[in-house]
């Protein structure tokens, strides 16, 4: 039995050993295969990574090149601009050097002339001293001869001579004084002309004459129909709120705004721009936009006043005076823009005061404020110079400023040196060719008088002169004026215009009475 078991055990052991060896071989073969596959995949991944890296590298290099080209272009622009500035600076330096060399040449010429004059004067003085010695000798000799001939001493003869020459000396002195006075007057006139001419040459302001028409540009003619509205209700509402005549004709892509008052015209232009931009155009919206535009324009007037005083270097003005200066932008005097005129007068006054050695800042302040009486918020019977002087006193301006404002048209006596400077500079500014047009000013005054006639009647809320004064449009309060009284009011206004005013052609009086009923749903 043992003989069978031992071979079986040995066989099993041998089988197990062979199986273990086979298993190890198969495991090693499988591991080798896995390792080979892993190496192959790793090689493929490395190859793909290299390809992607090359592509990414090329992209980065391309981006870097583009960025470099862009930076190079910007750098070249900066260099070109800097070179341009340097060239301009060099040109200015060359111009300054040229001016300095010219001045030096003039100074050398003047120095040479002065030296020659001094040498000439020295020669003349030497000659005169020599001649004076000769005259003294001759005088002594003549005195001795006269004493011998007359039997009088030199003292007695001198007394008689002095007595006889007193009248002659007086007459000579009077003649000398008169000549000196005339020479002083001539010199003063020449110096005054020099100061005025230098001042005018240093200030050059372009003058523009405002007219009574503004052009409102539109993108297409389709907008005209929306502005007119159904049966013209939009355009009527806009005219009633602003007092500006709106002319819609065949002019391509344009609407004409006609009104003698620049403030009304500007309000209408800004309101129309907002309405067209917004697209909602109807009477209620028009009324709302016009009111907002009026507030906006009042704020803009204040900003214009502030910018003006800052640009002129004037400080410490009262806010109401600054607002008045801003309103000058929308006023004209004989066709000349009042703000431009006042700015020019201010600059002229400052330069002229500096030429004369006076306070230039004070003169500039008086020049800017000299016409503030021309922009009253309410009508006044006082001349504009006196009205402006009262405003200046009210807002604590100095006595010199007040006198210069009130006296620039000789309504009051001038008591300071600034007053005649303001008067002269005002005349210089107004006397420029094309600066003023009196016809336009009288036309605007006639339209204002036409509106004032309507305001003289009870129940009139608004009055607008349109169509160059050929029509007066009157808007009345419906509670105070009924339909019957509206017709009577139109007749009375037309009769008053006919009897009190002078005007060409005919004036059409249109009375508008509107009833509004408003309820609010809460």
């Amino acid at each position: 039995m043992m003989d069978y078991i031992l071979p079986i055990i040995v066989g099993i052991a041998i089988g197990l050993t062979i199986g273990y060896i086979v298993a190890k071989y198969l495991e090693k073969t499988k591991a080798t295969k896995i390792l080979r596959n892993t190496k192959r995949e790793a090689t493929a991944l490395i190859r793909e990574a290299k390809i992607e890296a090359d592509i990414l590298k090329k992209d980065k290099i391309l981006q870097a090149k583009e960025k470099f080209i862009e930076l190079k272009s910007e750098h070249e622009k900066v260099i070109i601009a800097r070179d341009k500035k340097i060239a301009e600076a060099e040109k200015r330096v060359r111009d300054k050097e040229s001016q300095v060399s010219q001045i030096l040449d003039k100074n050398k010429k003047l120095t040479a002339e002065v030296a020659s004059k001094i040498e000439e004067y020295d020669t003349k003085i030497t000659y005169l001293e020599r001649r004076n010695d000769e005259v003294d000798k001759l005088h002594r000799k003549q005195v001795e001869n006269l004493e011998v001939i007359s039997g009088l001493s030199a003292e007695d003869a001198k007394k008689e001579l002095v007595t006889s020459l007193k009248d002659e000396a007086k007459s000579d002195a009077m003649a000398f004084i008169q000549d000196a006075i005339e020479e002083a007057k001539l010199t003063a006139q020449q110096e005054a002309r020099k100061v005025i001419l230098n001042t005018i040459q240093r200030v050059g302001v372009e003058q523009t004459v405002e007219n009574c028409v503004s052009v409102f540009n539109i993108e297409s003619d389709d907008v005209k129909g929306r502005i007119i509205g159904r049966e013209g209700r939009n355009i009527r509402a806009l005219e009633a709120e602003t007092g500006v005549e709106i002319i819609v004709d065949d002019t391509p892509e344009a609407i004409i705004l006609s009104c003698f008052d620049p403030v009304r015209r500007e309000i209408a232009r800004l309101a129309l721009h907002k309405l067209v931009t917004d697209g909602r155009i109807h009477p209620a919206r028009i009324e709302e936009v016009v009111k907002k535009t009026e507030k906006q324009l009042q704020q803009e007037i204040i900003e214009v006043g502030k910018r003006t005083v800052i640009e002129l270097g004037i400080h410490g003005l009262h806010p109401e005076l600054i607002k008045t200066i801003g309103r000058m932008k929308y006023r004209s005097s004989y066709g000349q823009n009042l703000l431009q005129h006042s700015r020019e007068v201010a600059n002229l006054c400052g330069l002229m005061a500096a030429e004369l050695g006076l306070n230039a800042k004070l003169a500039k302040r008086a020049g800017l404020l000299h016409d503030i009486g021309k922009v009253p918020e309410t009508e006044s019977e006082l001349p504009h110079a006196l009205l402006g002087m009262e405003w200046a006193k009210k807002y604590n301006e100095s006595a010199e400023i007040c006198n210069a404002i009130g006296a620039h048209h000789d309504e009051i006596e001038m008591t300071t040196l600034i007053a005649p400077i303001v008067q002269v500079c005002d005349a210089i500014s107004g006397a420029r060719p094309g600066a003023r047009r009196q016809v336009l000013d009288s036309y605007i005054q006639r339209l204002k008088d036409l509106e004032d006639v309507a305001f003289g009647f009870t129940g009139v809320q608004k009055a607008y002169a349109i169509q160059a004064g050929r029509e007066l449009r009157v808007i009345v309060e419906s509670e105070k004026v009924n339909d019957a009284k509206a017709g009577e009011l139109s007749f009375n206004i037309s009769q008053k215009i006919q009897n009190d005013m002078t005007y060409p052609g005919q004036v059409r009086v249109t009375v508008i009475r509107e009833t509004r009923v408003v309820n609010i749903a809460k």
Side-chain angles (χ1 to χ4, degrees), residues 411-470:
E411 274 88 2
I412 62 173
E413 183 181 358
M414 296 183 183
T415 59
T416 65
L417 293 175
I418 300 296
I421 291 177
V422 173
Q423 187 181 52
V424 169
C425 294
D426 180 40
I428 290 171
S429 175
R432 290 180 183 273
R436 292 187 170 183
R437 249 189 355 201
Q438 191 166 359
V439 175
L440 178 62
D441 196 66
S442 60
Y443 159 74
I444 291 176
Q445 185 61 43
R446 179 169 63 83
L447 296 187
K448 287 182 178 178
D449 294 341
L450 192 62
E451 292 181 351
D452 290 340
V453 169
F455 283 116
F457 289 86
T458 304
V460 175
Q461 185 178 11
K462 298 177 183 178
Y464 301 122
I466 60 177
Q467 294 186 4
R470 292 190 296 272

Side-chain angles (χ1 to χ4, degrees), residues 105-173:
D105 292 339
K106 289 182 180 179
N107 289 337
K108 288 179 181 179
K109 291 180 181 178
L110 290 174
T111 305
E113 291 178 0
V114 170
S116 63
K117 289 289 185 182
I118 291 172
E119 185 178 356
E120 183 180 350
Y121 288 153
D122 290 340
T123 305
K124 288 182 178 180
I125 288 170
T126 305
Y127 174 74
L128 289 174
E129 288 176 351
R130 188 171 62 252
R131 293 292 297 172
N132 192 24
D133 294 338
E134 295 176 0
V135 169
D136 288 340
K137 292 178 181 178
L138 290 173
H139 176 68
R140 286 194 297 271
K141 187 176 180 181
Q142 290 293 332
V143 169
E144 292 174 357
N145 292 333
L146 287 172
E147 287 178 353
V148 173
I149 294 169
S150 62
L152 295 173
S153 65
E155 290 297 329
D156 294 336
K158 188 183 293 184
K159 289 179 181 179
E160 290 186 5
L161 183 62
V162 169
T163 303
S164 63
L165 291 178
K166 275 184 179 179
D167 294 336
E168 184 179 355
K170 287 181 179 179
S171 62
D172 290 343

Side-chain angles (χ1 to χ4, degrees), residues 239-259:
E239 288 180 345
E241 289 298 324
T242 60
V244 175
E245 182 183 3
I246 301 175
I247 303 171
V248 182
D249 52 15
D250 295 335
T251 306
E253 298 181 356
I255 292 174
I256 308 299
L257 307 178
S258 175
C259 181

Side-chain angles (χ1 to χ4, degrees), residues 64-80:
K65 287 182 178 179
E66 291 177 352
K67 187 65 176 180
F68 174 75
I69 293 171
E70 182 181 354
L71 292 174
K72 183 180 178 183
S73 175
E74 292 179 356
H75 183 63
E76 288 176 351
K77 290 180 180 178
V78 172
I79 291 175
I80 292 171

Side-chain angles (χ1 to χ4, degrees), residues 173-186:
M174 291 299 295
F176 176 76
I177 291 171
Q178 188 65 30
D179 292 340
I181 291 173
E182 293 297 330
E183 184 179 358
K185 287 182 179 179
L186 181 61

Side-chain angles (χ1 to χ4, degrees), residues 484-499:
K485 287 185 177 180
E488 182 182 350
L489 179 63
S490 176
F491 176 77
N492 292 336
I493 293 175
S494 64
Q495 291 300 308
K496 188 170 180 57
I497 293 171
Q498 184 174 338
N499 295 330

Side-chain angles (χ1 to χ4, degrees), residues 206-210 334-336 429-437:
E206 295 182 359
Q207 296 294 334
T208 57
V209 179
E210 295 183 348
Y334 299 101
Q336 185 181 25
S429 175
R432 290 180 183 273
R436 292 187 170 183
R437 249 189 355 201

Side-chain angles (χ1 to χ4, degrees), residues 211-390:
N211 53 26
C212 296
V213 172
S214 295
V215 178
F216 180 76
N217 296 314
I218 56 178
E219 295 180 355
S220 65
D221 290 339
D222 297 338
V223 181
K224 291 182 179 179
R226 294 166 54 199
I227 293 174
I228 295 171
R230 183 181 298 175
E231 299 177 355
R233 63 175 186 173
N234 291 344
I235 196 169
R236 283 199 303 272
L238 193 57
E239 288 180 345
E241 289 298 324
T242 60
V244 175
E245 182 183 3
I246 301 175
I247 303 171
V248 182
D249 52 15
D250 295 335
T251 306
E253 298 181 356
I255 292 174
I256 308 299
L257 307 178
S258 175
C259 181
F260 71 93
D261 189 342
V263 176
R264 287 192 211 160
R265 203 164 62 244
E266 183 68 9
I267 291 173
R269 188 187 68 81
L270 294 175
L272 197 56
H273 177 73
K274 291 180 181 179
L275 290 168
V276 171
T277 304
D278 183 53
R280 294 176 293 166
I281 306 177
H282 52 82
R285 176 67 176 163
I286 289 170
E287 184 177 353
E288 177 187 353
V289 170
V290 168
K291 289 181 179 178
K292 289 182 179 179
T293 305
E294 288 176 352
K295 294 180 180 178
Q296 177 186 344
L297 192 62
Q298 291 300 322
Q299 187 61 34
E300 183 181 346
I301 285 172
I302 296 173
E303 293 299 324
V304 168
K306 290 180 179 178
R307 285 199 304 270
T308 301
V309 297
I310 290 172
E311 289 172 3
L312 292 175
I314 297 173
H315 306 286
L317 275 180
H318 194 278
E320 285 298 324
L321 290 180
I322 293 176
K323 185 178 179 181
T324 302
I325 291 169
R327 287 205 303 269
M328 289 182 181
K329 179 182 178 181
Y330 300 101
R331 292 290 185 274
S332 62
S333 175
Y334 299 101
Q336 185 181 25
N337 183 273
L338 195 56
L339 181 59
Q340 291 182 1
H341 167 65
S342 298
R343 287 171 63 100
E344 182 179 11
V345 172
N347 287 322
L348 286 168
C349 288
L351 292 173
M352 192 172 290
E355 290 282 344
L356 297 173
L358 301 176
N359 190 332
K361 289 186 177 180
L362 193 67
K364 188 180 289 188
R365 191 185 191 100
L368 179 63
L369 298 176
H370 81 285
D371 267 348
I372 56 174
K374 286 188 177 180
V375 284
E377 293 183 346
T378 57
E379 294 297 328
S380 174
E381 297 296 330
L382 285 176
H384 75 274
L386 298 181
L387 182 60
M389 182 180 68
E390 287 188 357

